Amino acid sequence: MTVSQLLPLLGLFSLCCAHTDFFTSIGHMTDLLNTERDLVTSLKDYIKAEELKLAQIKTWAAKLDQVTDTATRDPEGFLGHPVNAFKLMKRLNTEWLELENLVLKDMSDGFISNLTIQRQYFPNDEDQTGAAKALLRLQDTYNLDTDTMSKGNLPGVKHKSSLTVEDCFELGKIAYTEADYYHTELWMEQALRQLDDGEESSIDKVLVLDYLSYAVYQQGDLDKALMLTKRLLELDPEHQRGNGNLRYFEYIMSKENKSSSSVSEETEPKRKGRPKDHLPERQKYEMLCRGEGIKMTPRREKRLFCRYTDANRSPGYILSPVKEEDEWDRPHIVRYHEILSDEEIAKVKELAKPRLRRATVHDPVTGQLTTAQYRVSKSAWLSGYEDPVVGRINQRIQEITGLDMSTAEELQVANYGVGGQYEPHFDFGRKDEPDAFKELGTGNRIATWLFYMSDVEAGGATVFTDVGAAVYPKKGTAVFWYNLFESGEGDYSTRHAACPVLVGNKWVSNKWIHERGQEFRRPCKLSELE
């Protein structure tokens, strides 16, 4: 038996990129909650109708039970009464037919009709797969064990919820479809633990052990795979695949025992652990997300200050200066406090929500906008002319930074949902990407302004992987940094990322400011690093 025959592909989900991506936006997922609430109301109405129908049938049955009990004790005497004879004819000719129609009446029409209408808005297999992969991403980023996640013991949670055996099995199966045997093992073991603890489930231990033994084998742990297969056969001695696997594993072990070394010099041994991915700085990025970043020396910290600024004597801020705080020294990252009011935030979200779509990034090869798996969020673009609030926000950024907003990109509003993230990236175009912003005709991105429009209970920090800085969301504040030196060269220390949201809902909006129009506002220096 070949390895590919060890497990059937049972009910596999499609793994192409999701089109609807409900899980990327809390805003859209709240619509799903409202849909489910309406369906529950419709279901309750259906239950009431069925209960009323059953109550009528019960009443009719009780009445007839009494009549037939009396009649069968003295049939001739009962039928000697002409009214009883008439009513018997009437019941059998008319009333039993009415009862039959009542029993056959389908009370579910309204519920089924509503369900059919609402189904068009339901997430699909791709969305479910995306949400599952988001949970796995959170597990890895924040070093969460499966038992903690299954019991819902996450920091900052308001509405605790746990995972069932079926839920754990589904997570393991989705990992299996990705050939991610590391997570398959973790979640199948969790499902097995919960079954061993007595949780009732439609999933049986044999099925879980089938997947688990295969995942363990794929990671090179033959002893454990053999042990799990033997346990499977204790539960189901006739299991065809289990018996085949047992013989296969024993054969491999006998070959290894005969060999002078368990692994030949030419063969790389299989290792347990997370599958390798495209991001070379994955470990550092995740450490920063967990708050395990580089700590500034006391000497460096003394150089960071809080101050009031009048934005270079801007008339609007001379009498009402802005609270400014240094978050980091190199690159210089500044936070502005109380820069956005709750009313402004509500208006921006109101404008953005109907337009939220899967966030896009610039393809360095084509220069075009495209979706990418390393950015999981939904975003919308707002122009300054469409609402006075957006116009005022743009003007505020211009006055505080001293940079011209006429060549800046529109205000981008983003909502990060379950596991929403943006992996390490540069905001500016590098030398090997000469056409990154060619279509805009405004030069490179000289600076980034980022508003935080919500607090986040856990996760969701903005981290700078090259320098070890971590900036945490705080509603109503904004952070600002330059992506380019004054010479126009890119500042590679600004490589940054949006950590996955562990618990909560993250709303941000950002303004990417471009070079054109800044020639006299931020003059060029002669040195590349100035």
Side-chain angles (χ1 to χ4, degrees), residues 455-489:
D455 295 312
V456 179
E457 284 79 358
T462 305
V463 298
F464 292 74
T465 52
D466 274 28
V467 298
V471 180
Y472 293 90
K474 184 179 179 183
K475 187 178 181 181
T477 69
V479 290
F480 173 77
W481 66 89
Y482 280 102
N483 297 306
L484 306 180
F485 292 112
E486 290 176 325
S487 63
E489 292 295 317

Side-chain angles (χ1 to χ4, degrees), residues 138-265:
L138 291 174
Q139 178 183 10
D140 293 337
T141 303
Y142 296 104
N143 271 351
L144 302 171
D145 61 78
T146 52
D147 193 59
T148 296
M149 293 190 72
S150 183
K151 291 177 180 176
N153 295 327
L154 303 178
V157 293
K158 296 179 182 177
H159 309 286
K160 189 175 177 181
S161 183
S162 58
L163 296 172
T164 63
V165 169
E166 287 85 357
D167 295 331
C168 296
F169 177 78
E170 193 62 38
L171 287 169
K173 193 168 71 170
I174 287 173
Y176 168 79
T177 64
E178 294 265 285
D180 176 3
Y181 302 112
Y182 168 75
H183 287 108
T184 303
E185 179 183 358
L186 291 178
W187 284 102
M188 290 301 175
E189 282 188 334
Q190 181 63 31
L192 189 61
R193 271 195 299 272
Q194 291 180 206
L195 285 171
D196 288 341
D197 290 341
E199 183 179 326
E200 292 186 6
S201 172
S202 59
I203 305 292
D204 62 22
K205 293 182 182 180
V206 171
L207 183 58
V208 175
L209 286 164
D210 202 1
Y211 275 93
L212 180 55
S213 60
Y214 179 76
V216 169
Y217 163 74
Q218 280 289 347
Q219 296 181 90
D221 193 342
L222 199 56
D223 289 332
K224 185 176 179 181
L226 187 62
M227 179 270 291
L228 292 167
T229 303
K230 287 179 178 179
R231 183 179 175 187
L232 183 157
L233 292 172
E234 287 175 3
L235 298 171
D236 184 2
E238 304 301 319
H239 196 279
Q240 184 177 357
R241 190 168 45 258
N243 280 296
N245 290 352
L246 181 65
R247 292 191 295 271
Y248 182 75
F249 294 155
E250 288 176 339
Y251 168 71
I252 295 176
M253 290 188 75
S254 66
K255 282 185 66 177
E256 290 183 349
N257 291 334
K258 290 178 183 178
S259 175
S260 58
S261 60
S262 59
V263 181
S264 66
E265 293 180 3

Side-chain angles (χ1 to χ4, degrees), residues 4 21 141 196 209 215 256 291 415 447 453 511:
S4 62
D21 297 314
T141 303
D196 288 341
L209 286 164
E256 290 183 349
N415 181 215
M453 303 198 300
K511 195 78 173 173

Side-chain angles (χ1 to χ4, degrees), residues 296-515:
M296 271 194 177
T297 62
R299 184 175 182 180
R300 282 181 69 185
E301 282 186 341
K302 287 180 180 179
R303 299 173 185 167
L304 304 181
F305 294 95
C306 296
R307 66 188 73 81
Y308 283 98
T309 177
D310 59 10
N312 296 315
R313 299 196 62 78
S314 177
Y317 296 102
I318 292 176
L319 295 178
S320 181
V322 179
K323 296 176 181 177
E324 184 181 77
E325 177 185 4
D326 294 327
E327 286 278 352
W328 203 258
D329 54 356
R330 294 185 304 272
H332 191 202
I333 305 168
V334 181
R335 187 193 295 263
Y336 294 96
H337 293 267
E338 298 171 12
I339 201 68
L340 210 57
S341 69
D342 288 347
E343 292 75 20
E344 287 172 326
I345 290 172
K347 186 62 181 179
V348 169
K349 289 166 69 173
E350 178 190 330
L351 293 169
K353 279 182 179 179
R355 310 184 205 172
L356 286 174
R357 299 292 182 272
R358 179 67 187 266
T360 55
V361 296
H362 274 278
D363 187 315
V365 177
T366 65
Q368 302 298 311
L369 290 173
T370 182
T371 59
Q373 290 303 307
Y374 58 82
R375 186 178 190 186
V376 184
S377 65
K378 286 198 170 182
S379 64
W381 299 85
L382 303 181
S383 300
Y385 60 79
E386 63 185 280
D387 191 276
V389 169
V390 181
R392 285 201 303 271
I393 290 172
N394 289 341
Q395 182 63 29
R396 190 174 305 157
I397 298 171
Q398 176 166 305
E399 290 175 354
I400 292 174
T401 63
L403 299 175
D404 186 357
M405 292 298 112
S406 63
T407 58
E409 295 175 45
E410 293 178 343
L411 188 71
Q412 185 189 46
V413 182
N415 181 215
Y416 293 83
V418 179
Q421 64 166 5
Y422 194 174
E423 290 179 359
H425 62 282
F426 298 101
D427 280 350
F428 64 91
R430 273 78 67 212
K431 288 182 178 179
D432 59 345
E433 303 169 344
D435 297 331
F437 305 108
K438 185 177 180 179
E439 61 181 29
L440 299 178
T442 53
N444 212 341
R445 287 173 174 168
I446 193 173
T448 297
W449 179 283
L450 177 64
F451 285 112
Y452 292 114
M453 303 198 300
S454 66
D455 295 312
V456 179
E457 284 79 358
T462 305
V463 298
F464 292 74
T465 52
D466 274 28
V467 298
V471 180
Y472 293 90
K474 184 179 179 183
K475 187 178 181 181
T477 69
V479 290
F480 173 77
W481 66 89
Y482 280 102
N483 297 306
L484 306 180
F485 292 112
E486 290 176 325
S487 63
E489 292 295 317
D491 183 352
Y492 284 80
S493 69
T494 61
R495 185 169 171 83
H496 62 286
C499 294
V501 176
L502 178 58
V503 178
N505 181 15
K506 181 181 176 183
W507 282 90
V508 298
S509 57
N510 60 273
K511 195 78 173 173
W512 282 308
I513 306 166
H514 284 250
E515 291 177 293

